[in-house]
Amino acid sequence: MTLIGSVILMSGWLTHAAGLTGKWKAVFDTQPGKQSYLYELKAEGEKVTGKATGDINGENRRTVEIKDGKLVGDVVTFVETFEFQGNAININYTGKLAGDEIKFTRKVGDFATEEMVARRETAGAQAAGPAGQWQAEFDSQIGRQKYLFDFQVKDGKLTAKGTAEVNEQKRDVEFKEPKLDGDALTFVEMRTIRENEVRVEYTGKVGDKTIRFTRKVGDLATQEFEATRVAAAAPTAPAAPSPQAGDRPGGGRGGFGGPITLGPDDKAAFPPVPEGFDQARDGIPHGKLDTVEYESKSVGNKRKVVVYTPPGYSADTKYPVLYLLHGIGGDEEEWRRGGQPNVILDNLIADKKAVPMIIVMPNGRAQPDDRPGPNAMATAPAFGVFDKDLLGSLIPFIQANYSVKTDRESRALAGLSMGGGQSLNFGLANLDTFAWIGGFSSAPNTKPASELVPDPDKARAQLKLLYLSSGNKDGLIRISQGVHAHLKEKNVPHIWHVDEHAHDFHHWKKALFQFSQLIFTPTGK
């Protein structure tokens, strides 16, 4: 290399090293909740050192020294390690430095990949404080809520008011007990719910352009969301209804997961479901839900599983089986609690729209203590090894204890969110075991599409049905969009269905309703 070339290269190193050195903040959505990180990085030539401080939903805060840090040109890489059940899980970061932003790909072991942006922390970033207007949208159990907060600070005293909207009903709000302590903001909203006065407590951390809130609705619910600063010219009148997520310029946030950008393929494949599809009906036969235990060879203890047997179940009849998986914060009871699979199937079977089938709802967290605990994300590696329990212990147990068909075309695998990712990962890797596969709002644990379907010819030959679905307000829709695009490119038949919901049981119940009508039938493919 010439002397001039060496000088130019060294100049580039010094420029990027100086640009990287400092503090960087990132807040991003993941399956277990909102993660907040502060990265303190120092670059000396190509070597990068520093530490990462992070938490999930404001809890389980930890600080670790980064390892294997390197800066080559404008590309920075490093590793964060955390302990899980005595095992070290590596989080690999690959980022591109551009001014005051680093665009990162963050790969968590073998079970999740996230795209996020870290922004430079500058001195006085919070100087503006909370004074002014802030807008927020978030999903809740009663629908999508929209808030316009108006904060004023005078003589050190904070006042807070605003407007709120849910289900197209607007109201003015006077917030009580407002308090500002440094960058910590708290206040209270009183709501009347079912004739009871409920205290809604807000706890926020003020940044330059965002306030990160935790909103606790009595003992009923807790939401995490961000409010963004409104330009000074914004009106103080109640905000007009926002366009749907897919219509927002540059995409929007679906309350969970990240930006939403919809394409021409992202539309409904089915008409709206009928009213009452998930309501128990009188005058029809009903199936049974039982919780049983099986011995897991891979986990090393007994595990619980919820089993639905259809109306009129008889040992004289052989039934097909649907294995139905839950999300990262759930367990074997999640579908029973939120999805009413027994009710949905009872109604479909009574209407002769679904084949009588057994539904097996296991705990997809394959570890001795399989409860989600206070930090469900820490249990994520256990989801990645559930295939050993499913194939090696659960399926043999079901076949030994229930009257079931045992050929691959009589076995289906589907799930929601984390369970959707598991279903795609394990189902497509075991086409000799499963012919019908469904991923409902599949989460970032889903493998890259090229790994899911390495042999398109084999997939075309063996799959009876591959069903993908998501809501158009779901911040994780990009996962399923990517799988759909790859399958379309490789000409692998599948169904891609997008409805109007977010990452919630409104979507998952309807997905089960559609999927269960297609499986185990000649017309499923």
Side-chain angles (χ1 to χ4, degrees), residues 262-505:
L262 300 180
D265 287 356
D266 302 329
K267 57 188 178 183
F270 304 99
V273 302
E275 289 291 331
F277 79 100
D278 58 347
Q279 301 298 311
R281 285 158 45 185
D282 295 329
I284 66 169
H286 296 287
K288 288 181 59 182
L289 279 175
D290 294 302
T291 300
V292 298
E293 289 188 337
Y294 67 99
E295 196 73 41
S296 172
K297 296 177 183 177
S298 64
V299 178
N301 62 355
K302 287 187 175 182
R303 309 195 69 216
K304 291 182 179 179
V305 59
V306 175
V307 179
Y308 165 82
T309 48
Y313 171 78
S314 168
D316 295 330
T317 301
K318 297 290 185 181
Y319 299 88
V321 185
L322 165 61
Y323 291 85
L324 190 60
L325 309 183
H326 61 82
I328 193 168
D331 54 25
E332 70 278 359
E333 293 285 348
E334 183 175 34
W335 270 101
R336 186 205 317 240
R337 286 192 301 262
Q340 292 86 43
N342 54 316
V343 174
I344 292 171
L345 264 295
D346 284 351
N347 293 342
L348 286 174
I349 292 169
D351 294 338
K352 300 188 183 305
K353 292 182 178 179
V355 173
M357 67 185 76
I358 291 173
I359 302 180
V360 178
M361 292 162 275
N363 188 317
R365 191 179 291 102
Q367 62 185 40
D369 179 4
D370 58 11
R371 300 303 96 186
N375 180 9
M377 182 61 179
T379 70
F383 285 82
V385 296
F386 174 65
D387 56 332
K388 297 179 178 62
D389 181 43
L390 174 65
L391 300 171
S393 298
L394 181 55
I395 291 177
F397 170 82
I398 294 298
Q399 292 179 170
N401 291 274
Y402 292 86
S403 182
V404 300
K405 297 178 180 180
T406 58
D407 60 292
R408 60 178 294 276
E409 294 191 5
S410 299
R411 197 179 294 116
L413 180 65
L416 67 86
S417 194
M418 193 78 161
Q422 287 179 304
S423 297
L424 298 181
N425 294 346
F426 304 152
L428 291 168
N430 294 278
L431 290 174
D432 56 338
T433 302
F434 303 101
W436 317 81
I437 299 168
F440 313 154
S441 311
S442 298
N445 63 315
T446 306
K447 292 180 179 179
S450 59
E451 293 181 26
L452 288 174
V453 188
D455 186 345
D457 290 337
K458 181 180 179 181
R460 281 191 290 270
Q462 292 190 275
L463 276 168
K464 298 293 289 183
L465 173 68
L466 178 53
Y467 177 104
L468 307 174
S469 69
S470 180
N472 63 17
K473 299 179 182 68
D474 187 342
L476 293 182
I477 191 174
R478 68 189 186 279
I479 307 298
S480 299
Q481 286 171 322
V483 178
H484 159 67
H486 181 79
L487 295 172
K488 184 178 179 180
E489 177 188 349
K490 298 300 181 182
N491 197 28
V492 177
H494 64 287
I495 288 175
W496 172 225
H497 173 65
V498 178
D499 65 17
E500 72 280 13
H501 296 299
H503 199 78
D504 54 38
F505 262 111

Side-chain angles (χ1 to χ4, degrees), residues 14-343:
L14 293 173
T15 299
H16 289 306
L20 180 67
T21 298
K23 296 181 179 181
W24 303 80
K25 184 177 180 181
V27 179
F28 52 99
D29 292 305
T30 61
Q31 196 165 3
K34 191 175 293 294
Q35 298 206 36
S36 177
Y37 266 87
L38 180 66
Y39 304 98
E40 299 178 62
L41 305 177
K42 182 178 181 182
E44 296 176 318
E46 288 192 343
K47 183 179 180 181
V48 177
T49 57
K51 58 186 179 180
T53 301
D55 64 60
I56 300 176
N57 296 331
E59 299 178 347
N60 301 294
R61 189 176 182 86
R62 68 180 187 277
T63 299
V64 298
E65 297 290 329
I66 67 169
K67 300 189 298 184
D68 302 330
K70 186 177 292 186
L71 178 65
V72 179
D74 59 357
V75 177
V76 57
T77 57
F78 57 86
V79 177
E80 172 194 354
T81 300
F82 72 91
E83 294 292 323
F84 173 73
Q85 293 189 339
N87 298 312
I89 305 298
N90 286 337
I91 303 177
N92 292 279
Y93 291 81
T94 302
K96 187 169 184 180
L97 173 64
D100 289 334
E101 289 188 348
I102 306 175
K103 294 183 178 179
F104 277 114
T105 297
R106 180 178 185 266
K107 191 170 187 299
V108 185
D110 295 324
F111 52 86
T113 300
E114 295 120 6
E115 305 290 332
M116 36 81 81
V117 176
R119 294 180 173 84
R120 189 185 301 279
E121 284 278 272
T122 57
Q126 297 169 358
Q133 293 186 331
W134 304 76
Q135 60 186 4
E137 292 188 28
F138 53 91
D139 291 309
S140 69
Q141 292 177 332
I142 61 172
R144 189 158 186 81
Q145 301 206 40
K146 305 173 186 179
Y147 273 81
L148 181 66
F149 301 98
D150 188 346
F151 303 122
Q152 300 297 326
V153 180
K154 185 176 181 180
D155 298 329
K157 184 178 180 181
L158 174 70
T159 58
K161 61 182 181 179
T163 59
E165 177 185 343
V166 62
N167 298 326
E168 299 185 352
Q169 295 183 353
K170 298 178 183 178
R171 68 184 187 279
D172 294 325
V173 183
E174 289 289 339
F175 297 108
K176 301 179 182 299
E177 304 173 28
K179 188 178 297 184
L180 181 64
D181 184 3
D183 63 355
L185 171 68
T186 59
F187 53 88
V188 173
E189 175 187 1
M190 301 305 297
R191 294 290 309 276
T192 300
I193 301 177
R194 297 174 186 170
E195 299 182 355
N196 295 314
E197 194 170 42
V198 176
R199 182 181 173 92
V200 183
E201 299 178 345
Y202 293 78
T203 303
K205 186 172 183 179
V206 182
D208 183 27
K209 296 181 179 179
T210 62
I211 303 177
R212 180 186 168 204
F213 277 112
T214 298
R215 180 178 186 266
K216 189 172 185 299
V217 186
D219 296 323
L220 305 175
T222 300
Q223 293 108 13
E224 306 285 335
F225 69 92
E226 281 190 357
T228 56
R229 190 184 291 277
V230 178
T236 57
S242 299
Q244 294 301 310
D247 297 329
R248 296 172 194 160
R253 298 192 72 82
F256 185 88
I260 297 172
T261 303
L262 300 180
D265 287 356
D266 302 329
K267 57 188 178 183
F270 304 99
V273 302
E275 289 291 331
F277 79 100
D278 58 347
Q279 301 298 311
R281 285 158 45 185
D282 295 329
I284 66 169
H286 296 287
K288 288 181 59 182
L289 279 175
D290 294 302
T291 300
V292 298
E293 289 188 337
Y294 67 99
E295 196 73 41
S296 172
K297 296 177 183 177
S298 64
V299 178
N301 62 355
K302 287 187 175 182
R303 309 195 69 216
K304 291 182 179 179
V305 59
V306 175
V307 179
Y308 165 82
T309 48
Y313 171 78
S314 168
D316 295 330
T317 301
K318 297 290 185 181
Y319 299 88
V321 185
L322 165 61
Y323 291 85
L324 190 60
L325 309 183
H326 61 82
I328 193 168
D331 54 25
E332 70 278 359
E333 293 285 348
E334 183 175 34
W335 270 101
R336 186 205 317 240
R337 286 192 301 262
Q340 292 86 43
N342 54 316
V343 174

